[in-house]
Amino acid sequence: MPTTTTKKVLISDTLSPAAVAIFRERGIQADLRPELGKDKEALAAAIGEYDGLAVRSTTKVGAALLERATNLAVIGRAGIGVDTIDVPAATARGVIVMNTPHGNAVTTAEHAIALMLSLARQIPQADASTQAGRWEKNRFLGIELTAKTLGVIGCGNIGAIVADRGIGLRMRVIAYDPFLTPERAVALGVEKVELDELLRRADVITLHVPLTEKTRNILSAEALARTKPGVRIVNCARGGLVDEVALRAALDSGHVAGAAFDVFTEEPAKDNVLFGHPNMVCTPHLGASTTEAQENVALQVAEQMADYLLHGAIRNAVNFPSISAEEAPRLRPYVSLAEQLGSFLGQLTEAPIRGIRLVYEGEAAELNTRALTAAAVTGALRPFLEGVNMVSAIEVARARGIQVETATRTTVEGPYASRLHLTVEAEDMPRDAAGTVFGDGRPRFVEIRGIALEAAVAPHMLYIRNADQPGFIGRFGTLMGEAGVNVATFHLGRDRPGGDAICFAAVDEPVSPDLLRAIEAIPQVKRARAVRF
């Protein structure tokens, strides 16, 4: 997690001066250079010196730019959509990507409602006709929205507000959203349906989903053919959700009575197949364009980025679990412990890893365990995959077929208030260790292979499995002395007198392969490994 140092943030799009003020008030250097958002080469040349990058929709953050961003820790998008940011590439490099999902939610929802009303009463067309002096009162016969069925595709932050406003207009609201729970649907006052049913029943369809491979052309030619004749379609979400060519054909045939779009497949939209149709209403991506929304997202992204760079707090990240500013200080030593446990077991593991299992006990179960899991998986995989980090670890594990499992328990086995127990399942055998955080805030290992001990880790450690028999300690000390290696701490544990034992020792310098072989030659020793943290 980031620590409090002098940080630098580049703002490469137009952003409210209030955002710059927030950064500077928090002791962060903020450079407002909106011209860089349109100049890829200049942005690439400048990005290397910055810890944070604040953007809107103009700046494109691709893999090539991220390669140059050697110090970058966080990208903040002042808005909802992150389709202009290569999130997988940022994740692979350990860069947090944040957005501001709530800052312009009301504004965008209100724009969707405005477009819906414009469609229902043909307001833009009637305005143009009236101002042209034609007074065509009988031409513009609209429809009432009261008692009509509003179909909301995507019932998240914005979709839920649109649904609420639709209910206020006395519309029946149905919603398609795979992530909408029945309980949430009841609370919103909407009926949860499958997509086919929404297409069949809705008089008005409004889209509020991100553009992904699953949602691209969610209203395809086939889907449009299944809609109710005379349907009206509103899109204030993302271009590409609707097949524009198919929609134009449906408008021409009259199957779709009208459409209102704020977003288009290609923007700026200077020429589009939908333009010019008499039943089409178009606006130039104005969904978030209100004074209040612009101020809100600017303030929100500045606060979020500053909290992360200064305190490690993570809010509204699209590629990492949230960590509040209040919990970050308490979480930090547990993150270190989780990564140390993972690193230790990863260094002991030579066979391919099949699974990683974490059990959080006592007070640890009340923490943000998703962040701790990411840290443990990072530690376990890093001996094999040098570039893995806390942001990318879970995805990297999933891509390699490694199952990550977690469990929580309110009680603790042993004399500790909290405990993390980690097991790495490899093809040859499982390996496990446990640890806790003491009152001084320092992580301690408290169990290895089921054997209790208490050990704080150091950069260089020796891990030895041995038989609990006389002579081992003396011979080990002699070998270390003869090699000129100083032993800083020495921790012992055993399962029973004369049984299996463990030695976990901190040393002041790396142990040579020759010294390791000499230690393994001690009669009581079963295995010796040098471990680095």
Side-chain angles (χ1 to χ4, degrees):
M1 288 185 175
T3 54
T4 304
T5 56
T6 302
K7 302 291 184 180
K8 296 179 65 176
V9 169
L10 173 64
I11 303 171
S12 60
D13 282 332
T14 302
L15 214 59
S16 167
V20 179
I22 286 175
F23 283 124
R24 292 175 180 171
E25 286 169 4
R26 303 283 291 273
I28 295 173
Q29 178 181 328
D31 295 338
L32 180 59
R33 300 184 61 187
E35 74 279 2
L36 294 181
K38 301 177 182 179
D39 190 334
K40 291 182 178 180
E41 292 185 3
L43 179 59
I47 192 64
E49 62 181 289
Y50 291 96
D51 304 285
L53 174 65
V55 301
R56 297 212 62 207
S57 56
T58 300
T59 302
K60 305 297 187 291
V61 185
L65 179 65
L66 288 163
E67 286 288 333
R68 303 283 293 274
T70 52
N71 291 322
L72 198 65
V74 59
I75 300 169
R77 164 70 162 95
I80 297 175
V82 292
D83 42 293
T84 56
I85 302 170
D86 190 333
V87 177
T91 300
R93 296 189 65 84
V95 178
I96 295 289
V97 179
M98 298 175 171
N99 65 354
T100 55
H102 306 292
N104 56 14
V106 169
T107 290
T108 304
E110 287 184 353
H111 195 66
I113 295 295
L115 289 180
M116 182 172 66
L117 289 165
S118 296
L119 275 181
R121 301 304 299 268
Q122 303 180 70
I123 291 172
Q125 298 92 329
D127 171 72
S129 170
T130 303
Q131 294 206 52
R134 290 194 287 269
W135 198 259
E136 300 173 290
K137 185 173 181 178
N138 295 327
R139 175 186 169 191
F140 301 109
L141 184 66
I143 63 166
E144 288 185 358
L145 293 177
T146 297
K148 296 295 191 298
T149 298
L150 173 63
V152 180
I153 298 179
C155 208
N157 294 323
I158 297 173
I161 298 172
V162 171
D164 179 67
R165 303 301 193 265
I167 292 170
L169 291 170
R170 301 297 187 266
M171 300 181 78
R172 290 187 292 268
V173 181
I174 59 178
Y176 166 70
D177 188 327
F179 303 102
L180 179 66
T181 65
E183 295 79 11
R184 176 65 173 160
V186 170
L188 291 174
V190 306
E191 179 186 351
K192 181 179 179 180
V193 298
E194 294 302 318
L195 181 59
D196 278 347
E197 184 175 352
L198 183 145
L199 298 177
R200 177 174 55 84
R201 291 174 53 189
D203 297 297
V204 180
I205 295 174
T206 180
L207 297 112
H208 301 286
V209 293
L211 180 64
T212 68
E213 287 309 308
K214 289 186 177 181
T215 63
R216 187 180 300 278
N217 285 338
I218 192 170
L219 291 188
S220 61
E222 295 77 14
L224 289 168
R226 298 198 301 274
T227 58
K228 186 176 184 177
V231 69
R232 289 164 171 81
I233 297 171
V234 176
N235 185 11
C236 286
R238 278 289 178 267
L241 297 175
V242 183
D243 184 330
E244 293 172 346
V245 173
L247 176 60
R248 177 63 192 238
L251 286 165
D252 288 341
S253 71
H255 180 78
V256 174
F261 276 34
D262 185 49
V263 290
F264 302 88
T265 302
E266 291 187 11
E267 294 184 4
K270 301 294 181 66
D271 183 27
N272 189 284
V273 67
L274 296 172
F275 291 174
H277 194 282
N279 296 327
M280 190 75 204
V281 177
C282 299
T283 53
H285 207 142
L286 299 178
S289 295
T290 63
T291 302
E292 294 87 349
Q294 297 303 303
E295 193 79 359
N296 287 342
V297 295
L299 296 174
Q300 189 176 342
V301 79
E303 290 283 3
Q304 289 177 189
M305 293 178 69
D307 282 345
Y308 177 67
L309 291 171
L310 298 177
H311 308 299
I314 300 174
R315 284 183 288 151
N316 299 320
V318 301
N319 60 348
F320 198 75
S322 293
I323 300 173
S324 70
E326 293 75 22
E327 70 182 337
R330 184 184 177 204
L331 199 61
R332 191 171 290 114
Y334 282 94
V335 168
S336 297
L337 171 63
E339 187 165 6
Q340 289 170 359
L341 288 169
S343 177
F344 172 66
L345 295 179
Q347 290 179 69
L348 299 186
T349 302
E350 296 173 350
I353 296 175
R354 296 185 301 184
I356 297 172
R357 185 170 66 254
L358 278 134
V359 179
Y360 300 98
E361 301 176 357
E363 293 177 0
E366 302 172 2
L367 298 173
N368 186 335
T369 57
R370 291 181 63 195
L372 302 183
T373 300
V377 174
T378 300
L381 297 185
R382 190 167 284 156
F384 311 94
L385 302 166
E386 186 177 345
V388 72
N389 54 68
M390 278 186 63
V391 179
S392 67
I394 302 298
E395 285 300 320
V396 169
R398 184 179 294 115
R400 285 161 175 76
I402 299 171
Q403 281 209 310
V404 178
E405 300 177 357
T406 64
T408 57
R409 296 174 183 162
T410 56
T411 58
V412 183
E413 295 181 8
Y416 307 106
S418 65
R419 197 174 82 137
L420 275 65
H421 186 271
L422 175 65
T423 302
V424 172
E425 296 277 357
E427 289 187 357
D428 57 349
M429 61 180 290
R431 295 166 176 83
D432 69 291
T436 189
V437 174
F438 282 8
D440 61 2
R442 293 187 62 193
R444 304 288 208 287
F445 281 31
V446 297
E447 184 183 297
I448 299 174
R449 290 175 58 91
I451 296 175
L453 79 167
E454 289 185 4
V457 303
H460 302 287
M461 302 288 294
L462 268 175
Y463 168 66
I464 303 169
R465 288 174 49 209
N466 59 284
D468 183 37
Q469 297 171 356
F472 160 68
I473 294 177
R475 183 61 184 143
F476 172 77
T478 299
L479 286 174
M480 300 299 285
E482 290 174 348
V485 177
N486 189 55
V487 178
T489 60
F490 190 72
H491 309 279
L492 297 173
R494 63 183 182 179
D495 59 0
R496 66 186 188 281
D500 290 330
I502 285 175
C503 168
F504 203 36
V507 293
D508 287 346
E509 59 190 272
V511 173
S512 69
D514 288 341
L515 180 54
L516 273 179
R517 284 191 288 269
I519 294 171
E520 287 192 320
I522 298 174
Q524 297 89 346
V525 172
K526 301 175 183 179
R527 189 181 189 190
R529 289 291 299 270
V531 182
R532 300 189 66 176
F533 292 97

